Amino acid sequence: RQHYPHHHALITLGFTAGRRPSALRPLRRKGLAADIDWDKGTLLFRRSHVRGMRGPEIVEKTKTGKDQELYLSKPLLDMLADHIDRLEGAQKESDLLFPGPKGEPWAENTLRWIFCKTCELYELRSDPERALALCRAGQVRVFAVARALDLSERETEARAAEADPQAADRPAPPPITPRAMRRSMYGLADAAEIEDQEAREVADHASKQMADRYREGQRLPREVARQKQSLAKIYDLATARKERTGGQTGGQTASGDDDKDNISRRCCGD
């Protein structure tokens, strides 16, 4: 929002709806074929902005070949309306929801460049000591570190001179690309306990296998909780843990505890 205000709405919608950048760039906000219906509160995905034989072009179909209408929440609609109010010049005259400087769709590599620059900023902010050490070694410009750490260039130079050189060898955070928008949408959907089928419909994934590829490395929070509970029950039975209340509890008898001990020894060894 602060550094790339013209792309804030596009990226937010990408993280929320998990849509491909190629499906977001050609969306139209006005005209006879507008894709957004303010009265219904819907957004229609039916075009793609792709690489053609002679350069980028808009094709009248989505990657999956299916048109899809999404019902947007009021906060999302308000965000898009605010985004449109901020457009000026050729961008304001364009029918596109996310127009480039001349009213045309943004170039494909624009979003990748923004994510790259944002990662560089986050990398410096996430580890100030490393950032100052890199600055001292001449690997990062003073201006970039000063901007990231919200310092003056003079103060940055002074702190960099005192930085530990070994801090520069610390590993950097993993890079983030526009693909993270779709991956993050699935993680957020799982955290919100949204059904898998509904999440795939929002992201326009035809198969569960493809959706699982974007979930790779993630675990559903509710699955984690259920697994923990299940393992806790198995552990209690396997180790025959006794309640230390000084007597019988909940109808459990001493002989019952002995039976658990026998089960534990048979299953897990003495």
Side-chain angles (χ1 to χ4, degrees), residues 6-7 10 25 49 91 96 98-101 104-108 110:
H6 288 303
H7 295 84
L10 185 151
R25 290 193 297 269
H49 184 232
Q91 291 181 315
L96 295 177
F98 304 115
E104 79 292 357
W106 285 101
E108 180 184 357
T110 300

Side-chain angles (χ1 to χ4, degrees), residues 116-161:
C116 179
K117 291 300 180 182
T118 301
C119 285
E120 290 177 2
L121 186 64
Y122 172 73
E123 177 183 335
L124 298 176
R125 284 182 175 175
S126 64
D127 192 343
E129 291 183 359
R130 179 176 178 273
L132 291 169
L134 290 172
C135 181
R136 177 178 179 176
Q139 298 182 38
V140 180
R141 292 182 301 171
V142 174
F143 168 78
V145 177
R147 176 178 177 233
L149 303 184
D150 196 21
L151 301 172
S152 67
E153 292 189 25
R154 185 174 182 178
E155 186 176 5
T156 301
E157 289 176 338
R159 293 193 181 187

Side-chain angles (χ1 to χ4, degrees), residues 2 5 37 46 56 78 108 116 129 132 136 166 174-175 178 187 202 205 207 211 214 228 230 238 242 249 251 263:
Q2 178 182 354
D37 188 323
R46 52 182 168 177
D78 291 343
E108 180 184 357
C116 179
E129 291 183 359
L132 291 169
R136 177 178 179 176
Q166 294 183 349
V202 169
H205 270 142
S207 67
Y214 279 83
K228 286 183 177 180
S230 298
K242 299 179 182 180
T249 303
I263 294 173

Side-chain angles (χ1 to χ4, degrees), residues 252-268:
Q252 179 65 53
T253 63
S255 61
D257 283 340
D258 291 340
D259 290 340
K260 280 188 176 182
D261 285 338
N262 292 332
I263 294 173
S264 176
R265 282 193 292 269
R266 289 198 302 270
C267 296
C268 307

Side-chain angles (χ1 to χ4, degrees), residues 98-233:
F98 304 115
K102 297 181 180 180
E104 79 292 357
W106 285 101
E108 180 184 357
N109 62 357
T110 300
L111 206 56
R112 288 200 298 268
W113 182 86
I114 289 175
F115 270 75
C116 179
K117 291 300 180 182
T118 301
C119 285
E120 290 177 2
L121 186 64
Y122 172 73
E123 177 183 335
L124 298 176
R125 284 182 175 175
S126 64
D127 192 343
E129 291 183 359
R130 179 176 178 273
L132 291 169
L134 290 172
C135 181
R136 177 178 179 176
Q139 298 182 38
V140 180
R141 292 182 301 171
V142 174
F143 168 78
V145 177
R147 176 178 177 233
L149 303 184
D150 196 21
L151 301 172
S152 67
E153 292 189 25
R154 185 174 182 178
E155 186 176 5
T156 301
E157 289 176 338
R159 293 193 181 187
E162 300 176 354
D164 180 6
Q166 294 183 349
D169 297 330
R170 295 176 187 171
I176 302 175
T177 68
R179 187 180 292 268
M181 295 193 294
R182 285 169 76 72
R183 292 186 182 277
S184 296
M185 190 285 296
Y186 277 111
L188 294 170
D190 291 340
E193 298 189 359
I194 295 174
E195 294 297 328
D196 179 71
Q197 177 65 29
E198 185 176 354
R200 285 193 284 119
E201 289 177 357
V202 169
D204 192 28
H205 270 142
S207 67
K208 185 178 185 302
Q209 290 76 13
M210 181 58 69
D212 288 342
R213 286 182 59 184
Y214 279 83
R215 279 194 172 102
E216 188 176 354
Q218 303 182 40
R219 293 299 302 274
L220 280 66
R222 57 183 181 275
E223 285 187 356
V224 172
R226 284 199 297 265
Q227 190 176 84
K228 286 183 177 180
Q229 293 173 0
S230 298
L231 289 177
K233 292 178 181 179

